[in-house]
Amino acid sequence: MQQLLPRGWQAADEYGAEKGYASMTVNDGQGKCLLTVTVQRWSPGSPEIAQLFAGAAVRPDGTRVLTRRLPVAGGAGGTFQWDADVLVTDGLRIVVSEVNAPAFGLPATRAVPLLSIPQLRAIALSSRWKARY
């Protein structure tokens, strides 16, 4: 996942023991953020996944893209999670999430996310996921 970050940014910690899941703490010098990626395989006709992506933007190739900003449940005030959630037509789902704290349950270290929604979306839409899963 490190290679998908903007140039010059470093991961403070990176984890990814489970296939299909990786997380890292990223710091640009102005506060640490937790960045996670989850890659899943769904049946393309699954009613649950169809419902989740019902309001998604649809790209010309049929890929569906959702973005969200949510308060972190149980997090300290001001802690938010930003998501870019992608569903490829073959059922491959990639969720890239960022929390403006170094981990869930910790207070926010910054008011705005380190990565913008377009940057999260670009990571989720990377062809590297399709090649690996």
Side-chain angles (χ1 to χ4, degrees):
M1 187 166 48
Q2 173 78 42
Q3 62 271 33
L4 296 173
L5 291 175
R7 183 174 297 190
W9 289 11
Q10 294 297 314
D13 301 296
E14 186 169 357
Y15 306 95
E18 297 179 42
K19 182 176 175 154
Y21 179 80
S23 68
M24 65 172 52
T25 306
V26 183
N27 191 352
D28 66 350
Q30 297 182 23
K32 291 182 179 180
C33 288
L34 175 66
L35 185 64
T36 65
V37 177
T38 305
V39 181
Q40 305 169 328
R41 261 293 158 201
W42 284 80
S43 170
S46 165
E48 297 87 3
I49 203 74
Q51 182 179 3
L52 178 66
F53 281 88
V58 181
R59 297 170 54 92
D61 66 356
T63 299
R64 297 181 173 276
V65 181
L66 286 173
T67 57
R68 299 179 279 275
R69 177 184 179 263
L70 308 162
V72 173
T79 306
F80 289 91
Q81 177 174 324
W82 291 263
D83 297 325
D85 199 345
V86 169
L87 180 65
V88 182
T89 56
D90 68 357
L92 183 67
R93 180 183 181 197
I94 304 101
V95 184
V96 180
S97 301
E98 177 181 4
V99 177
N100 61 336
F104 286 101
L106 295 180
T109 57
R110 55 192 305 132
V112 297
L114 185 97
L115 295 171
S116 67
I117 289 291
Q119 288 172 309
L120 292 175
R121 190 181 309 117
I123 291 170
L125 288 167
S126 172
S127 60
R128 291 177 190 237
W129 307 118
K130 294 174 195 167
R132 294 182 71 187
Y133 298 93

